[in-house]
Amino acid sequence: MNAKKNKNIIKNSKFLAYLFTTWVPIAGAITSYIYKFKLNKKIKNKKAYAPSAYTILFFLTLAIALIVWIIYLSKGPITYETKIDDKIVPVTGTVPGILDVLMSPLKGFADAAELIIFLLTIGAFLQIVNTSKSIEAGVSRIIKKMKGKEIYLIPILMLCFSIGGTTFGMCEETLPFYLILTPIMLAAGFDTLTSLFTILFGAGLGVAGSILNPFLVAPAVEAAKQAGVDHLTTTTGIAWRVITYALLVIVGIVCVTYHAYRVKKDPKHSVVYNQMKDHHKHLKIGNNEQYPLTGKRKAILWIFGLTFLFMILMVIDWQGLTGFTGFVWFNDWLKNNLPFIWAGDNGIGQWSLIEMSFLFFTSALIIGIITWTSEENFLQNVFTGARDFIGVAFIIAIARGLSMMLSSSGVNSILVDGLSNMMNSINAQLGILIIFIIFILLSFLIPSTSGFASTVFPIMGPSIAASTSGLTVSGAITTFSLANGFVNLFSPTAGPFVAGCSLCKVSLNDYYKGAWKTLSIILLTMLIMILVGTALPKLF
């Protein structure tokens, strides 16, 4: 009787699932931008209001509660099947009340504790590194050595920024480099767009082609695993992510270098040619602050690079990929023979978020000792860095609370079933294109990669895993990475993009005029990569 009742509820709710996962995000994105456009037109001197990601996620949580109430009042509580102790058993979903809606973000904090700890620790680590000015000193040294050959700076710097983007989501951290690099580019005969493109496309394409970005890949994997996709790890699909990252960066470097070459050869090719005199005047060529590359800063750069190298080594499943069991043996030997050094259960290739947090915490402590001035300054840097990620932590908590409500109420089973059936009715190539478009639209509403992943993948992960269309969950994560990264290269809601334009004295209109061809080529490259990847499910 329960099974029959459940089937009727699912049948009657398929339209609801389709509406919630497709047209609601589309309508939300369009409505938000129409509203902003009209308000900007009506009130020129006032900043248009647009709801934040926090508000959007909270009202989505309230919408889920309303959906459950409607189903409960019309059909009764949702009954769905779940796996408990290797047995499939029927479960009756809970009906959330108003107080449950208010409590859901707090439950989300508890459920996502490891991920939030990880992000706060990385924030502290990055702040301590940034305070030392080591990265700026390294870039200044590169610029000084390349004097007279500035055209070669573009591929070198774009590669460096892209590595930062793909490994730790380098985004806001790029802002100081606009002030350092723009005067150099102008003095070398390029335009401000060259500086903007070098940094924005370098870091942005690195994020879009994230290999092990802890702010994108890890939250998506964790969200999908929380929803029952047990086989997924951060290294699933990593081969195709590496290929995608490399191709995107090569395409970006070629486009930006070609732009710089044309502008140097004939400045009239620049869309900001008429503003060049003002740019030279206002950006004070030759007066930018320099940071000497001291021994301490060299040591910090080594520690910075090695930290991310160790992170990559520690999360790759070497035993699963190569069959090599030496790391597991070494960890067991260390734990049994030298427990006063390490008694952890997870060795190289098996690290979780807590062990990765330990890595960044240890590196932050070492760098803090190298740059030590006082306990007060060290703790202030730790708290400042962690504070920068409090907003991200709240987004993840609200999104995780929403996910838990979806699961406990049974709505998740309806949405997963509806999406799975929709995926089964179309081929993999068409399905991945639809997913890509949905992800692009959602990225306007939820620009935060962590918040996006924590919201979408509890539904999308199980839906794709349960479908027979040939799509893979890791492929969906790669598609999400590309879609979100692409939007953040031009969206007015992307703070670092708008800030970069402002620092380089480039208006949004001039940026779009100068960048539309490059953006088109990047979009085409992304589409090719996801379509080809879909045909190679073992890699994708």
Side-chain angles (χ1 to χ4, degrees):
M1 191 70 182
N2 282 338
K4 184 176 180 181
K5 187 178 182 182
N6 184 42
K7 287 181 180 178
N8 288 331
I9 292 173
I10 291 177
K11 183 177 180 181
N12 294 332
S13 304
K14 280 183 180 177
F15 173 74
L16 187 63
Y18 174 74
L19 185 69
F20 180 77
T21 55
T22 56
W23 293 108
V24 168
I26 294 172
I30 294 173
T31 303
S32 174
Y33 273 85
I34 289 176
Y35 175 75
K36 286 180 71 177
F37 174 78
K38 287 184 176 179
L39 197 57
N40 271 320
K41 191 174 181 181
K42 185 177 179 181
I43 309 173
K44 293 183 179 179
N45 296 325
K46 292 186 178 180
K47 185 179 179 181
Y49 171 76
S52 66
Y54 311 98
T55 304
I56 292 170
L57 288 172
F58 180 78
F59 277 102
L60 278 176
T61 306
L62 184 59
I64 295 301
L66 289 172
I67 290 170
V68 177
W69 296 343
I70 292 170
I71 295 175
Y72 176 76
L73 292 174
S74 60
K75 300 289 184 180
I78 300 172
T79 303
Y80 59 98
E81 293 182 339
T82 189
K83 191 175 183 180
I84 300 177
D85 296 330
D86 296 327
K87 293 182 180 179
I88 303 297
V89 296
V91 177
T92 301
T94 57
V95 181
I98 293 293
L99 297 180
D100 295 302
V101 173
L102 296 175
M103 191 180 290
S104 66
L106 304 179
K107 291 182 177 179
F109 259 113
D111 195 59
E114 289 192 7
L115 178 57
I116 291 172
I117 290 170
F118 178 49
L119 297 180
L120 295 180
T121 307
I122 285 187
F125 168 77
L126 292 176
Q127 175 64 22
I128 291 172
V129 172
N130 288 337
T131 303
S132 72
K133 301 298 180 184
S134 300
I135 297 177
E136 288 90 336
V139 171
S140 296
R141 173 62 66 88
I142 293 174
I143 291 171
K144 188 176 181 181
K145 284 183 175 286
M146 299 297 293
K147 192 172 182 179
K149 301 177 182 178
E150 286 85 357
I151 191 72
Y152 299 113
L153 276 174
I154 294 170
I156 293 173
L157 291 176
M158 286 188 71
L159 179 61
C160 292
F161 288 129
S162 72
I163 292 172
T166 198
T167 55
F168 69 95
M170 189 178 193
C171 191
E172 288 86 354
E173 295 83 5
T174 60
L175 297 183
F177 294 103
Y178 290 108
L179 299 174
I180 296 173
L181 190 59
T182 303
I184 301 296
M185 291 296 184
L186 288 175
F190 305 124
D191 60 355
T192 53
L193 276 172
T194 302
S195 174
L196 179 62
F197 290 166
T198 299
I199 300 171
L200 178 67
F201 288 138
L205 292 177
V207 174
S210 290
I211 298 174
L212 285 173
N213 179 358
F215 300 104
L216 191 151
V217 178
V221 169
E222 285 295 311
K225 289 177 71 174
Q226 286 283 334
V229 186
D230 297 327
H231 65 278
L232 199 64
T233 69
T234 53
T235 56
T236 308
I238 194 172
W240 197 251
R241 293 204 296 271
V242 170
I243 295 171
T244 302
Y245 158 76
L247 185 59
L248 280 176
V249 172
I250 290 171
V251 167
I253 287 174
V254 170
C255 290
V256 176
T257 305
Y258 178 66
H259 166 84
Y261 172 78
R262 290 180 74 241
V263 169
K264 189 173 179 66
K265 189 175 181 181
D266 183 0
K268 292 181 179 179
H269 284 305
S270 173
V271 298
V272 294
Y273 171 71
N274 293 329
Q275 305 169 44
M276 280 189 174
K277 288 184 179 180
D278 290 334
H279 288 162
H280 279 260
K281 179 181 177 181
H282 293 299
L283 292 170
K284 299 178 181 179
I285 303 302
N287 292 333
N288 57 305
E289 186 176 2
Q290 297 292 325
Y291 299 102
L293 190 60
T294 61
K296 284 186 178 181
R297 285 175 174 153
K298 287 181 181 179
I300 290 169
L301 285 176
W302 273 104
I303 295 169
F304 180 82
L306 289 173
T307 299
F308 284 98
L309 177 61
F310 285 153
M311 182 193 76
I312 294 170
L313 293 175
M314 294 298 182
V315 299
I316 293 177
D317 183 9
W318 299 104
Q319 185 173 348
L321 289 175
T322 64
F324 179 68
T325 60
F327 292 136
V328 176
W329 173 86
F330 177 74
N331 184 75
D332 292 339
W333 180 87
L334 196 64
K335 182 171 65 173
N336 294 328
N337 295 278
L338 299 172
F340 50 86
I341 293 179
W342 178 256
D345 293 326
N346 297 326
I348 295 175
Q350 300 174 318
W351 273 23
S352 64
L353 290 172
I354 289 297
E355 284 89 2
M356 290 165 66
S357 301
F358 152 76
L359 173 64
F360 285 99
F361 174 76
T362 304
S363 296
L365 192 59
I366 294 171
I367 295 173
I369 293 172
I370 293 174
T371 59
W372 188 268
T373 54
S374 68
E375 179 190 14
E376 183 181 357
N377 286 339
F378 174 75
L379 292 176
Q380 184 177 0
N381 287 330
V382 170
F383 297 146
T384 300
R387 185 180 62 200
D388 290 340
F389 288 88
I390 289 292
V392 178
F394 269 95
I395 287 177
I396 291 173
I398 299 171
R400 185 62 65 87
L402 186 155
S403 172
M404 294 171 69
M405 184 176 292
L406 281 170
S407 179
S408 63
S409 65
V411 172
N412 197 49
S413 65
I414 295 174
L415 294 174
V416 168
D417 183 75
L419 266 177
S420 299
N421 290 335
M422 186 176 71
M423 294 293 177
N424 290 336
S425 63
I426 56 179
N427 62 45
Q429 278 71 27
L430 180 58
I432 202 68
L433 289 177
I434 292 173
I435 291 172
F436 184 69
I437 293 170
I438 292 173
F439 283 170
I440 282 181
L441 293 169
L442 282 174
S443 294
F444 285 100
L445 290 172
I446 311 175
S448 166
T449 55
S450 303
F452 187 116
S454 299
T455 304
V456 174
F457 277 93
I459 299 171
M460 192 64 73
S463 301
I464 294 174
S467 71
T468 58
S469 61
L471 295 174
T472 63
V473 182
S474 61
I477 292 175
T478 301
T479 304
F480 151 56
S481 174
L482 294 174
N484 189 269
F486 179 68
V487 168
N488 286 331
L489 291 177
F490 67 89
S491 171
T493 63
F497 158 65
V498 176
C501 289
S502 176
L503 291 171
C504 291
K505 307 296 181 184
V506 175
S507 68
L508 292 181
N509 187 48
D510 287 336
Y511 172 79
Y512 294 135
K513 282 182 181 179
W516 74 269
K517 290 181 181 178
T518 301
L519 289 171
S520 300
I521 294 171
I522 290 170
L523 178 61
L524 179 62
T525 304
M526 290 178 173
L527 291 173
I528 291 172
M529 294 309 294
I530 62 173
L531 288 173
V532 174
T534 305
L536 303 169
K538 291 185 178 180
L539 290 177
F540 194 53

